[in-house]
């Protein structure tokens, strides 16, 4: 049984979906006024992995993620750049989708935009007014926090001990603290300000507050109560607390059955911020880092724990992922070079280990999606497989078992959105340095211009030299290739070469 940490319960609890075999997930999306940073990406990748695991376990997942395309920050950006807020939102919405796809994050099943859901928000606000949970003041509408006794339960706060966390401003720029019935009350609808986006409503022209959009969208597309509401830990209060309060006040029922929140990301053990000069955009990171490596790094820390991001940790993640990719690449090569010889393997033990690894992987992921522990099970399997097959010629009879073990490794890592088979299938010769061609011409008499052919010529020359006991020429080939970053492995089927 899957157990997950429910923020509201403050403990790990068994997961029971509202509808058997189906999961409804709502994860808060971006406010599109800029490119997303690496901290945003961590949250989205974490919930992508959780979604993928549910799917792998056979659940039919409906995943909803909103786009906040009307907001004070978008309006400020538009004014700063002298263009329409809608143009700013459209640009960064497209950029967000592009960045997510580059990071191999699955598209949501439904991606509602705030500006396209205004009627649903107005309907919900009116329900709150009718139920005496909200009130209107000169075109603004506020939620009456103390009208909902359970306010504070999600974040574990006592409403009587709270202070007004942020000074709100009316759309006309005047302070509103003296206009609200209680300093804790928050805006559901903001009266229009000249030059800003606005929509007609029963309270006049205006636009929605931030919190109301997720309540309206999740109710419309998932129904209440839905299964899982997710986001970063920074959203627990006030955003998710306010969502929960306004939604449950309106419907008189539970809003979301489970609340999940991802941990924050630090850069070199420091909080990421523009003032510290360590602010990193996802698209900039992906310019120099494979998305598989980025995902792998994030998997190495539990999704609820703080994650330290650094160049050193990226390098470690690349090396660790490389061990799995190389294991699959080596198995593929061995499967392509089998011979009709007695089996050198204990195939029964190999199959047993693959099955044990899969069970242990599931147990780890069932325990609040413990991806780092699940990865450890994959590494253990890879180590056991390498111990059996390295340096050996596979028998024809080994093929079915070895292929199944290989496919198990690929399948388990694939749950995390990382395709190690694709990396193994990648033609490494495309990355061969051009300097290998003149080396082959000098040492092996190669007269072409193709790097892959040049490497083959060098390996052939080395084999001939060794057979003739011309150790000087054989060493020249080896040293020349090693200097260019190649690794030569001598196998019973002949020499193999790869890039280090």
């Amino acid at each position: 049984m899957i157990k997950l940490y429910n923020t509201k319960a403050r403990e790990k609890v068994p997961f029971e979906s509202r509808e058997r075999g189906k999961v409804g997930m709502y994860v808060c999306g971006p406010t599109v006024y800029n490119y997303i940073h690496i901290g945003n990406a961590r949250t989205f990748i974490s919930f992508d992995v959780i979604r993928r695991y549910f799917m792998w376990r056979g659940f039919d997942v409906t995943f909803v993620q909103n786009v906040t395309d009307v907001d004070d920050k978008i309006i400020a950006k538009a004014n700063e750049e002298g263009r329409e807020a809608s143009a700013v939102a459209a640009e960064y919405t497209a950029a967000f989708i592009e960045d997510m796809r580059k990071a191999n994050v699955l598209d949501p099943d439904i991606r509602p935009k705030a500006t396209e859901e205004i009627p649903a928000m107005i309907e919900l606000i009116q329900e709150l007014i009718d139920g005496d949970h909200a009130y209107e003041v000169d075109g603004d509408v506020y939620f009456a926090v103390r009208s909902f006794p359970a306010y504070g339960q999600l974040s574990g706060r006592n409403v009587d001990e709270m202070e007004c966390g942020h000074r709100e401003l009316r759309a006309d720029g005047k302070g509103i603290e003296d206009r609200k019935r209680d300093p804790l009350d928050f805006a559901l609808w903001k009266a229009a300000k000249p030059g800003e986006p606005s929509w007609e409503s029963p309270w006049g022209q205006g636009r929605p507050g931030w919190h109301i959009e997720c309540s309206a969208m999740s109710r419309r597309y998932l129904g209440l109560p839905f299964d899982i509401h997710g986001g970063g830990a920074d959203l627990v209060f006030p955003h998710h607390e306010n969502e929960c309060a306004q939604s449950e006040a309106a419907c008189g029922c539970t809003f979301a059955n489970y609340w999940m929140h991802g941990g924050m990301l630090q850069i070199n053990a420091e909080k990421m911020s523009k003032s510290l000069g360590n602010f990193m955009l996802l698209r900039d990171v992906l310019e120099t880092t494979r998305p598989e490596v980025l995902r792998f790094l994030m998997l190495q820390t539990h999704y609820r724990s703080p994650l330290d991001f650094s160049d050193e940790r990226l390098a470690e993640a690349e090396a660790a992922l490389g061990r799995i990719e190389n294991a699959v690449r080596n198995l593929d090569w061995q499967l392509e070079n089998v011979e009709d010889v007695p089996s050198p393997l204990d195939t029964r033990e190999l199959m047993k280990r693959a099955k044990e690894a899969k069970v242990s992987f599931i147990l780890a992921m069932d325990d609040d999606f413990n991806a780092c522990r699940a990865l450890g099970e994959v590494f253990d399997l890879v180590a056991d497989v390498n111990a059996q097959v390295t340096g050996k010629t596979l028998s024809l009879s080994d093929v079915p078992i070895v292929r199944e073990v290989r496919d198990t490794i690929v399948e388990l890592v694939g749950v995390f959105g990382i395709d190690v088979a694709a990396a193994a299938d990648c033609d490494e010769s495309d990355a061969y340095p051009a300097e290998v061609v003149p080396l082959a011409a000098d040492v092996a008499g190669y007269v072409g211009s193709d790097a892959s052919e040049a490497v083959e010529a060098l390996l052939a020359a080395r084999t001939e030299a060794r057979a003739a006991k011309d150790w000087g020429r054989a060493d020249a080939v080896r040293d020349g290739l090693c200097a260019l970053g190649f690794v030569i492995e001598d196998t019973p089927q002949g020499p193999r070469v790869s890039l280090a």
Side-chain angles (χ1 to χ4, degrees):
M1 172 181 285
I2 295 175
K3 286 189 173 183
L4 55 80
Y5 186 87
N6 185 358
T7 302
K8 193 170 186 179
R10 289 165 189 75
E11 64 178 348
K12 280 192 275 191
V13 297
F15 174 73
E16 296 181 12
S17 59
R18 180 183 65 182
E19 188 175 349
R20 185 177 178 84
K22 296 185 177 182
V23 178
M25 295 180 68
Y26 186 97
V27 175
C28 289
T31 299
V32 284
Y33 68 98
N34 204 339
Y35 301 114
I36 65 165
H37 57 67
I38 196 69
N40 303 139
R42 191 214 175 172
T43 297
F44 300 138
I45 289 173
S46 293
F47 282 99
D48 181 63
V49 168
I50 291 168
R51 174 192 184 184
R52 286 174 183 269
Y53 183 68
F54 274 123
M55 293 167 63
W56 184 69
R57 288 296 305 275
F59 286 91
D60 179 8
V61 180
T62 300
F63 191 94
V64 182
Q65 184 175 67
N66 68 303
V67 171
T68 299
D69 59 346
V70 57
D71 181 84
D72 292 341
K73 293 177 180 177
I74 297 172
I75 294 168
K77 181 89 166 184
N79 290 339
E80 177 185 322
E81 297 180 353
R83 53 181 178 148
E84 295 294 322
S86 58
V88 171
E91 175 186 347
Y92 290 111
T93 297
F96 168 70
I97 293 171
E98 178 186 4
D99 289 350
M100 287 293 93
R101 289 174 178 170
K102 284 182 179 178
N104 200 27
V105 172
L106 297 173
D107 284 347
D109 297 299
I110 304 168
R111 198 195 314 264
K113 297 178 180 178
T115 56
E116 297 172 357
E117 303 291 332
I118 301 298
M121 298 182 215
I122 290 174
E123 179 184 351
L124 180 54
I125 294 170
Q126 188 61 58
E127 289 175 21
L128 289 167
I129 292 174
D130 294 343
D132 293 327
H133 292 291
Y135 56 94
E136 183 262 342
V137 181
D138 296 337
D140 292 331
V141 181
Y142 306 105
F143 181 80
V145 166
R146 293 182 189 274
S147 75
F148 185 69
Y151 190 87
Q153 285 188 359
L154 176 62
S155 58
R157 298 177 182 229
N158 185 325
V159 70
D160 293 321
E161 297 174 357
M162 292 183 191
E163 297 179 0
C164 187
H166 302 281
R167 178 173 174 80
E168 296 183 69
L169 295 177
R170 271 182 53 87
D172 60 9
K174 298 177 182 177
I176 63 168
E177 297 307 314
D178 58 342
R179 303 172 60 83
K180 296 194 295 184
R181 296 176 184 173
D182 189 302
L184 293 175
D185 296 348
F186 57 87
L188 301 173
W189 188 263
K190 299 180 179 181
K193 181 179 179 180
E196 292 186 352
S198 65
W199 290 262
E200 185 57 54
S201 79
W203 321 288
Q205 288 289 125
R207 57 185 173 89
W210 176 36
H211 311 299
I212 196 67
E213 67 176 272
C214 292
S215 291
M217 294 175 186
S218 56
R219 180 171 80 162
R220 178 179 180 187
Y221 293 107
L222 292 174
L224 301 184
F226 58 94
D227 294 310
I228 296 173
H229 197 318
D234 57 325
L235 296 184
V236 176
F237 186 87
H239 183 49
H240 285 172
E241 189 73 68
N242 291 352
E243 267 192 72
C244 185
Q246 66 199 11
S247 297
E248 295 189 357
C251 74
C253 67
T254 299
F255 176 43
N257 288 329
Y258 304 91
W259 291 84
M260 298 180 66
H261 294 92
M264 298 293 97
L265 181 143
Q266 298 175 315
I267 305 292
N268 295 312
E270 291 185 315
K271 181 180 178 181
M272 183 174 64
S273 70
K274 291 180 179 178
S275 61
L276 292 174
N278 63 359
F279 193 81
M280 302 178 71
L281 299 178
L282 172 62
R283 56 178 43 208
D284 291 341
V285 172
L286 292 178
E287 284 292 321
T288 56
T289 304
R290 288 194 295 144
E292 296 86 359
V293 172
L294 177 63
R295 292 179 73 96
F296 201 87
L297 167 61
M298 294 186 174
L299 291 166
Q300 292 177 310
T301 300
H302 191 275
Y303 79 91
R304 285 192 289 113
S305 299
L307 184 149
D308 189 38
F309 185 92
S310 66
D311 289 339
E312 291 77 16
R313 289 209 61 194
L314 271 178
E316 291 168 2
E318 184 167 26
L321 176 58
R323 291 200 295 273
I324 300 176
E325 291 172 339
N326 286 335
V328 173
R329 185 180 292 113
N330 290 337
L331 288 173
D332 286 344
W333 188 86
Q334 288 178 292
L335 286 166
E336 291 173 0
N337 291 275
V338 296
E339 294 183 9
D340 189 8
V341 297
S343 172
L345 308 179
D346 184 347
T347 52
R348 181 175 298 180
E349 177 63 21
L350 270 181
M351 198 66 246
K352 177 173 172 282
R353 279 296 298 120
K355 290 179 178 179
E356 288 173 347
K358 195 166 187 175
V359 170
S360 297
F361 179 95
I362 291 171
L363 290 174
M365 289 298 288
D366 278 0
D367 184 14
D368 195 27
F369 310 98
N370 195 332
C372 43
R373 197 174 98 206
L375 273 178
E377 301 297 340
V378 175
F379 276 114
D380 287 346
L381 175 59
V382 167
D384 290 342
V385 172
N386 284 343
Q388 276 225 46
V389 306
T390 299
K392 296 177 182 176
T393 300
L394 300 189
S395 166
L396 289 169
S397 63
D398 295 328
V399 170
I401 298 299
V402 173
R403 191 174 301 283
E404 187 166 348
V405 172
R406 175 262 189 207
D407 290 348
T408 297
I409 296 170
V410 172
E411 178 187 7
L412 296 183
V413 183
V415 172
F416 301 130
I418 298 173
D419 188 354
V420 291
D425 289 341
C426 239
D427 188 354
E428 212 177 34
S429 64
D430 292 341
Y432 286 172
E435 292 84 354
V436 76
V437 174
L439 174 66
D442 182 42
V443 178
Y446 176 65
V447 294
S449 59
D450 182 82
S452 181
E453 291 179 358
V455 169
E456 292 300 323
L458 284 164
L459 292 178
R462 178 173 176 268
T463 299
E464 292 172 4
R466 294 180 72 181
K469 298 186 178 181
D470 184 353
W471 307 120
R473 187 176 182 222
D475 289 346
V477 173
R478 181 199 63 202
D479 295 344
L481 284 171
C482 289
L484 294 176
F486 290 93
V487 174
I488 301 175
E489 178 187 0
D490 291 307
T491 76
Q493 294 81 23
R496 292 178 60 193
V497 67
S498 59
L499 287 170

